[in-house]
Amino acid sequence: MPAESIERAFLDAAAHRLEDSTVQIEHCLCQLDEEQLWWRAKPDLNSIGNLVLHLCGNVGQWIVSGVGGRADVRNRPSEFDADIRTPKAELHTQLRTTVEQAKNTLSAMDGSRLTTDCRIQGFDTNVLSAILDTVSHFQGHTQEIILLTRRQLGPQYQFHFVPSTPEQVSAR
Ligand code: NI
């Protein structure tokens, strides 16, 4: 397989993973009211709302700005502000807009740049590592959001994925 195909396959997979996780977060947001969105299990633990703001900030800084070259407008401390209470619809729009910008950055990117060194948030890295780290960070917090949603909704929680074929049911 030529190098360009591998580069493109990696960028497509990264964008696909971001999209899949975003759909999972959106699936949770749909089931939560404004109170549940900002609920904290303990004062020093983040709410789902804060985690979504944190993901927007991180993806914006690392992919849209760091990889894509747009201005870095991140205000990291505000992502963890317990009083911020962005309305759910606005938060959802912010998440979707940021992820679309990131996906556009990845699809427009020249794959030969993947091994280029870069410095983001004070970390010396390269473009491929920056993308991989951002996607895995996004996925980790997505799982946290699902857990916090399930913890609040209990048996009312609607699963996003329900196995429907014998092959899916047998998967562990
Ligand atoms: Ni984080």
Side-chain angles (χ1 to χ4, degrees), residues 55-83:
L55 289 178
C56 291
N58 181 270
V59 169
Q61 180 176 40
W62 281 74
I63 295 190
V64 181
S65 169
V67 174
R70 288 223 212 168
D72 181 9
V73 293
R74 185 176 191 184
N75 177 356
R76 192 172 185 280
S78 73
E79 296 160 15
F80 305 107
D81 184 347
D83 300 322

Side-chain angles (χ1 to χ4, degrees), residues 95-109:
L95 175 68
R96 195 23 89 183
T97 305
T98 307
V99 169
E100 290 304 321
Q101 286 174 342
K103 284 163 52 191
N104 290 340
T105 300
L106 296 174
S107 72
M109 198 188 112

Side-chain angles (χ1 to χ4, degrees), residues 80-153:
F80 305 107
D81 184 347
D83 300 322
I84 198 159
R85 303 247 164 182
T86 308
K88 185 169 88 164
E90 200 178 307
L91 193 69
H92 185 186
T93 303
Q94 199 174 328
L95 175 68
R96 195 23 89 183
T97 305
T98 307
V99 169
E100 290 304 321
Q101 286 174 342
K103 284 163 52 191
N104 290 340
T105 300
L106 296 174
S107 72
M109 198 188 112
D110 177 353
S112 67
R113 283 186 53 227
L114 282 171
T115 51
T116 304
D117 290 336
C118 57
R119 186 174 171 86
I120 306 172
Q121 201 183 344
F123 295 99
D124 288 313
T125 182
N126 63 42
V127 172
L128 188 147
S129 288
I131 294 168
L132 194 61
D133 288 352
T134 306
V135 168
S136 56
H137 175 262
F138 197 97
Q139 191 164 6
H141 282 306
T142 298
Q143 206 55 50
E144 192 181 354
I145 289 168
I146 293 169
L147 178 66
L148 289 171
T149 303
R150 291 188 66 180
R151 177 153 173 206
Q152 292 186 84
L153 299 184

